[in-house]
Amino acid sequence: MVRDRAKWEFLGYNVSAERGGGPEQFVDDALHASLLRTAGKTFEPPRILALLTGDGNSNGGRTTFPECVERALVNGWHVELITWRRSMSNTFSIFEREYANRFRIRFLEDISDY
């Protein structure tokens, strides 16, 4: 994990990984908090958010990935969603129509041998 993390950080990515076992409680909440903090900012030139998920669930009434994506789009970001067709929330299809020039869906089935 450390070796892989160093490679991504060398390429300029911010890597957040939680160590340890146990249930994945509130993992999405931590990711949402980090995303919302950054997506609320504007940059020149605009940044790209690459998100690997199709999760659009309500998260128990707490923050959601679609909320994070929409915040980024409203603030001028470009967003690339990488997901499996069968597990993608329909909410992301709406973003594809509403933000056609800045939101792109890439399906893993189209770019993977799996």
Side-chain angles (χ1 to χ4, degrees):
M1 170 76 178
V2 173
R3 227 176 43 227
D4 291 337
R5 181 180 185 151
K7 288 178 189 177
W8 287 107
E9 287 174 340
F10 175 77
L11 294 171
Y13 290 91
N14 178 14
V15 178
S16 298
E18 186 175 318
R19 295 201 178 272
E24 295 181 7
Q25 195 169 24
F26 300 111
V27 172
D28 285 356
D29 293 334
L31 292 169
H32 299 160
S34 183
L35 278 168
L36 288 169
R37 179 179 42 226
T38 304
K41 299 175 184 174
T42 56
F43 296 93
E44 206 47 55
R47 299 294 201 262
I48 298 172
L49 169 62
L51 187 60
L52 283 75
T53 188
D55 183 354
N57 71 39
S58 67
N59 196 28
R62 297 183 306 274
T63 56
T64 67
F65 285 111
E67 288 172 355
C68 297
V69 167
E70 189 161 34
R71 171 81 57 90
L73 290 166
V74 165
N75 283 309
W77 288 64
H78 293 262
V79 177
E80 288 199 19
L81 182 77
I82 299 103
T83 185
W84 297 107
R85 274 186 180 85
R86 68 181 178 275
S87 63
M88 186 188 79
S89 168
N90 288 334
T91 303
F92 295 116
S93 297
I94 295 168
F95 291 156
E96 189 174 38
R97 289 189 300 274
E98 290 181 1
Y99 299 96
N101 61 334
R102 289 186 286 113
F103 184 80
R104 178 179 175 196
I105 299 172
R106 298 185 67 195
F107 292 108
L108 286 164
E109 293 91 341
D110 297 341
I111 58 175
S112 174
D113 291 335
Y114 292 99

